[in-house]
Amino acid sequence: MATESQPVDKAVIEEFKRRSGGDVFQPEDGTEYDEARVIYNAMIDRHPQLIARCDTVDDVIRAVEFARENEMEVAIRSGGHNGAGLALVDDGLVIDLSNMTDISVDAEERTARVEPGCTWGDVDGATHEDGLATVSGVISTTGVAGLTLGGGHGYLTRKYGLTIDNLLGADVVLADGRLVHASEDEHSDLFWALRGGGGNFGVVTAFEFELHPVDTVVAGPTFWPIDELEDTMRWYREWLPNAPEDVYAFYLIAEVPGEPFPEEIHGEKVCGLMWCYLGDPDDIDGVLRPAHDVAEPLFEHVGEMPYPALQSMFDDLYPPGDQWYWKGDFVHDLTDEAIDEHRRFADVPTPQSGMHLYPVNGAAHRPEPDETAWSNRDATWSMVIFGVDGDPAKKDEITEWARGYWEATHPHSMGGAYVNFMMEEGTDRIQATYGDNYERLREIKERYDPENIFHVNQNIEPLAEE
């Protein structure tokens, strides 16, 4: 496969457009094309040669075959949330799945079949009608496909594992245009790789998820003054790993934005916790008490709410169209030296910037490291440092802050990171992320995509490529 796309003859493009069931956009389409190439991170500005918005699986197959036959680089877009902008590629073909949004829920079997253009808000809306949910992230506008293929973690992880631990099967269009079903019983090697290996192995056109009884949760934030960071983070590192699995709380460093928070704390630098409690609501005071004992909260608002309300709580703070730069790491222990670095960088540059430590222990620790492509089953947290602002003039400021923060804390990490929290960082970082599973992933890549057609991602090169 060529590493750069070749110009495609106009007549060939017109034939492709004629045969496509969905829309196909080119630069000469003006506004429609420009709107089609917009993704969540406004820091990314790429210009594909073609954007094929697929309506059906047949459209996806045609697009994959067209790219292969015409030596075009291929990017796959579903929700478009990828921070590194890997949903787009300059001069190549974007296979846009955003129109493929069917969801079917089997409440009796507690399963859902979800197409790749869905967001997690779509899924939550469909499953909540039956008091069910599966593991996803913390922003409901995030796409199902990208989050799942990277591994997926969120409010339900300590109780129900990673998103991939709840994946039952997937329909996949391979590099040669074949449609296959991957599960424990069919193409089990591919199914293993899909669970954390990203978009390296094909275009997933449907996901099958296990659902769990999740309806109303007790959730919300606790903020402490930033001067309490050292004491609260030291307490958190001891408390969280031993908390019951019904208790989820990610640690955060932030600046309090405007509404809906009280005016008197707007602009305050804070550290804190974001809670999700799945147990008896009457027990919440006992759950919160240890956090109150370590330091007096500056603000707290924790109460009962429908699970989809928790899932969408950050949506307004992080709308599409902001500038984003983020870096991640897996963390096993929060050392005193690491906590010192967190305190040093706690003066976040904008109200949307910050640091989160997402727990990935509890149920996520039960599978063996080689049971799925996600090998970091001994990580306690998945850390993300993110610089965010709507003003393009602040791009350099938020990027430099996030990079500096990451460089200071990275030596205290496990070396790899959640692939969905990585920018384009190179093969060494990818190899560190997958550890002992990396060579097996390369073997499976060689089996299903030997020409590395699907390489616009956190790429795992086929074994034959050196």
Side-chain angles (χ1 to χ4, degrees):
M1 184 68 183
T3 57
E4 294 184 1
S5 295
Q6 305 303 307
V8 181
D9 184 83
K10 289 184 178 180
V12 175
I13 292 175
E14 288 304 313
E15 176 62 15
F16 173 60
K17 292 171 69 174
R18 187 188 67 78
R19 295 177 60 233
S20 296
D23 292 323
V24 178
F25 302 105
Q26 300 173 256
E28 52 262 40
D29 292 325
T31 301
E32 287 185 313
Y33 167 82
D34 285 332
E35 290 175 351
R37 69 182 184 87
V38 170
I39 57 174
Y40 187 75
N41 184 1
M43 201 178 284
I44 309 299
D45 183 25
R46 293 178 181 156
H47 296 77
Q49 188 176 165
L50 294 173
I51 301 171
R53 184 166 290 163
C54 302
D55 292 336
T56 67
V57 174
D58 285 343
D59 292 339
V60 176
I61 293 171
R62 277 190 288 266
V64 170
E65 291 175 340
F66 180 83
R68 187 182 67 250
E69 292 165 1
N70 292 281
E71 298 186 329
M72 299 185 76
E73 285 196 286
V74 179
I76 312 301
R77 175 195 174 134
S78 53
H81 259 245
N82 182 268
L86 299 173
L88 296 178
V89 59
D90 280 325
D91 301 321
L93 171 67
V94 173
I95 300 177
D96 185 339
L97 309 175
S98 60
N99 276 359
M100 299 178 67
T101 56
D102 283 351
I103 301 174
S104 59
V105 177
D106 187 328
E108 185 174 342
E109 294 293 325
R110 291 185 178 175
T111 61
R113 181 178 172 85
V114 181
E115 288 194 332
C118 294
T119 67
W120 284 108
D122 298 329
V123 176
D124 292 334
T127 61
H128 186 68
E129 294 179 9
D130 296 297
L132 301 169
T134 196
V135 179
S136 58
V138 300
I139 296 179
S140 76
T141 57
T142 304
V144 167
L147 182 136
T148 301
L149 294 173
H153 57 69
Y155 294 114
L156 304 182
T157 286
R158 299 193 74 242
K159 181 74 171 181
Y160 297 118
L162 304 173
T163 306
I164 54 173
D165 299 332
N166 297 274
L167 184 65
L168 302 173
D171 293 344
V172 190
V173 176
L174 303 177
D176 62 8
R178 285 183 295 148
L179 174 68
V180 300
H181 185 72
S183 69
E184 292 284 6
D185 300 321
E186 303 174 78
H187 295 281
S188 58
D189 56 345
L190 176 60
F191 185 57
W192 181 90
L194 292 175
R195 287 176 289 168
N200 276 281
F201 305 96
V203 184
V204 177
T205 58
F207 297 86
E208 298 165 3
F209 294 107
E210 181 181 3
L211 305 177
H212 304 279
V214 179
D215 189 352
T216 298
V217 299
V218 185
T222 295
F223 293 153
W224 296 292
I226 200 65
D227 290 344
E228 301 288 358
L229 185 148
E230 290 94 339
D231 287 345
T232 57
M233 191 175 276
R234 288 191 182 99
W235 162 79
Y236 178 73
R237 74 182 177 190
E238 305 299 328
W239 167 81
L240 184 278
N242 298 301
E245 290 179 2
D246 278 338
V247 178
Y248 178 95
F250 73 74
Y251 194 95
L252 60 88
I253 294 171
E255 177 181 315
V256 180
E259 296 295 336
F261 297 101
E263 185 175 355
E264 60 268 23
I265 64 169
H266 290 180
E268 290 284 338
K269 311 294 186 184
V270 297
C271 54
L273 300 176
M274 186 66 190
W275 299 89
C276 176
Y277 179 55
L278 301 174
D280 186 336
D282 291 339
D283 296 337
I284 189 61
D285 287 345
V287 173
L288 298 175
R289 189 173 299 116
H292 296 171
D293 290 344
V294 70
E296 181 70 23
L298 176 69
F299 172 82
E300 184 171 84
H301 186 76
V302 178
E304 291 186 64
M305 65 183 69
Y307 178 68
L310 170 62
Q311 281 288 89
S312 59
M313 190 172 287
F314 285 98
D315 290 4
D316 289 343
L317 182 60
Y318 297 109
D322 286 337
Q323 306 280 310
W324 276 82
Y325 187 90
W326 60 13
K327 300 268 285 185
D329 268 319
F330 288 125
V331 177
H332 187 274
D333 298 305
L334 284 169
T335 65
D336 286 346
E337 293 79 10
I339 290 172
D340 289 343
E341 298 297 350
H342 283 289
R343 183 64 184 92
R344 186 161 71 93
F345 282 88
D347 188 16
V348 300
T350 69
Q352 294 167 290
S353 301
M355 187 283 300
H356 291 173
L357 283 166
Y358 296 112
V360 287
N361 66 335
H365 276 190
R366 286 199 272 277
E368 294 297 323
D370 61 355
E371 202 167 319
T372 64
W374 177 295
S375 66
N376 291 271
R377 294 293 181 169
D378 56 344
T380 311
W381 293 278
S382 172
M383 179 180 71
V384 63
I385 297 162
F386 49 98
V388 186
D389 197 79
D391 184 358
K394 294 187 176 181
K395 172 183 175 181
D396 291 342
E397 179 185 3
I398 61 177
T399 299
E400 290 169 8
W401 173 81
R403 282 178 178 165
Y405 193 160
W406 180 83
E407 288 168 359
T409 55
H410 177 65
H412 309 285
S413 74
M414 297 172 67
Y418 179 37
V419 293
N420 290 341
F421 288 160
M422 290 168 59
M423 303 302 281
E424 295 187 78
E425 299 173 27
T427 300
D428 288 346
R429 277 281 276 167
I430 295 168
Q431 187 167 356
T433 291
Y434 292 113
D436 292 342
N437 290 339
Y438 183 67
E439 288 305 309
R440 184 177 175 188
L441 284 164
R442 292 191 67 197
E443 291 172 2
I444 297 171
K445 178 74 168 179
E446 173 69 20
R447 196 170 304 141
Y448 287 96
D449 183 18
E451 296 180 358
N452 205 7
I453 287 174
F454 301 116
H455 67 268
V456 182
N457 45 43
Q458 301 297 349
N459 193 230
I460 297 164
E461 294 182 349
L463 194 59
E465 290 195 12
E466 297 294 345

